[in-house]
Structure formats: C-alpha cells, structure tokens
Amino acid sequence: QVQLVESGGGLVQAGGSLRLSCAVSVRTSSTYTMGWFRQTPGKEREFVAGVEWSGGRISYADPVKGRFTTSRDIAKNTVYLQMNSLKPEDTAVYYCAARYGGIWTTFSGYDYWGQGTQVTVSS
C-alpha cells in the first residue's frame, strides 16, 4: 500500500511562492508516475503537473506552465511542486497522487492519493 503525505500549503499573497512536498511511504519503482492535482468547491479535480519517477517525462497543465515546477528526490522518496508567481485563481486544495505507469492527466487514472493541502492566494 502506497501512502502519500503532503505538506507545505498555506496563505500567500499574489505573486508569491510556495513549495508543496509529498512524501511517499514506500520505495517507489521507476515505473510509477507522481501527479499533482487541485480542486475547488463544486469543481472536478484537475491535473496540475506530473512526473515519471524515472525522470523521463514531466508534464504541466497550461494554466501553470512557466510558473510551477515539479521534481522528485529519489533519495528522500519525495516529490515537490514549486509554485511561483501565484495568482488568486490558483487557490485550491492541492493533492499529490501516484499511479503505476506513465503520466495521466485525469484523476481517475491514479490509484493513491494524499490527504490534500490548502493553498490560498490573496489578491
């Protein structure tokens, strides 16, 4: 069973930065993909970014391209989402997720989920 524990959310002003972390409880094989999603009330969970554990491919949703960066630290078994130039529309609960296989941009493709962390961007 894979367990994901997120941290790093909070309140920040527009234009600021936050870094989210997602610690993975078991040694992740290179065939796993880690995804970041976000959700606001009444809306479906949307894809933000994904990184293949092997490091071969990274993908970003258009709204965050050029502002967000995802990476993984194999030694620490941790994935990060660095969020810069934050906007009020980035406000959401952010989740990390894991799936066996390549990057998938819909939430239904992921098998394991973190508990979520709130990110609030004030204008």
Side-chain angles (χ1 to χ4, degrees):
Q1 183 76 9
V2 177
Q3 290 186 321
L4 309 175
V5 179
E6 301 157 22
S7 59
L11 173 65
V12 65
Q13 289 188 331
S17 299
L18 282 174
R19 188 177 79 158
L20 306 183
S21 300
C22 176
V24 186
S25 64
V26 297
R27 184 61 57 185
T28 308
S29 76
S30 61
T31 51
Y32 268 84
T33 284
M34 304 301 298
W36 290 97
F37 287 77
R38 64 188 182 187
Q39 189 171 26
T40 54
K43 292 191 175 181
E44 194 170 89
R45 201 167 291 188
E46 66 171 359
F47 175 78
V48 173
V51 54
E52 293 181 351
W53 197 258
S54 64
R57 185 175 167 227
I58 296 176
S59 180
Y60 297 97
D62 287 342
V64 307
K65 282 181 180 176
R67 300 187 298 123
F68 290 12
T69 303
T70 188
S71 61
R72 83 272 186 268
D73 186 324
I74 294 175
K76 294 183 178 180
N77 232 32
T78 300
V79 179
Y80 303 99
L81 183 67
Q82 177 67 42
M83 305 184 293
N84 298 328
S85 302
L86 282 161
K87 304 175 181 180
E89 50 263 46
D90 294 319
T91 295
V93 177
Y94 282 72
Y95 297 88
C96 70
R99 70 181 303 270
Y100 185 80
I103 295 174
W104 205 260
T105 58
T106 56
F107 68 88
S108 59
Y110 289 77
D111 303 305
Y112 306 100
W113 291 87
Q115 80 281 7
T117 186
Q118 177 70 46
V119 171
T120 303
V121 185
S122 63
S123 57

